[in-house]
Amino acid sequence: NTEACGWDGGDCVVEGYPDCHDFFPFQPNQVGDGTCDGGESNTEACGWDGGDCVVEGYPDCHDFFPFQPNQVGDGTCDGGESNTEACGW
């Protein structure tokens, strides 16, 4: 899964995201599967995990707590990357 090998002959290129490469080998593509997986798939190139990490109502805020329910606007100040204007403080 490298550029020199053509991202496994194209097998690791995520459909709809030509600059995003599947980071979960030997598993079905998880980009856009309804779960924010975070990590390398939570990038602009991967469409913020195919939209899974975009926080509803805050299009420029991306979920920073993968594999957990969205914590933005849950009544608890989580701080860090979610305590920004883009995430509604």
Side-chain angles (χ1 to χ4, degrees):
N1 190 13
T2 64
E3 185 174 11
C5 292
W7 307 111
D8 193 14
D11 294 342
C12 295
V13 175
V14 177
E15 186 176 338
Y17 302 96
D19 295 323
C20 179
H21 309 108
D22 194 349
F23 304 103
F24 303 99
F26 309 109
Q27 298 179 29
N29 175 21
Q30 296 181 7
V31 173
D33 67 351
T35 299
C36 176
D37 300 300
E40 295 179 21
S41 61
N42 190 13
T43 63
E44 187 173 4
C46 293
W48 309 111
D49 194 11
D52 295 339
C53 295
V54 175
V55 177
E56 187 176 338
Y58 300 95
D60 295 322
C61 179
H62 309 109
D63 194 349
F64 303 102
F65 303 98
F67 308 109
Q68 299 177 28
N70 176 19
Q71 297 180 8
V72 174
D74 67 353
T76 300
C77 178
D78 299 301
E81 295 176 319
S82 60
N83 189 19
T84 63
E85 184 175 4
C87 295
W89 304 110

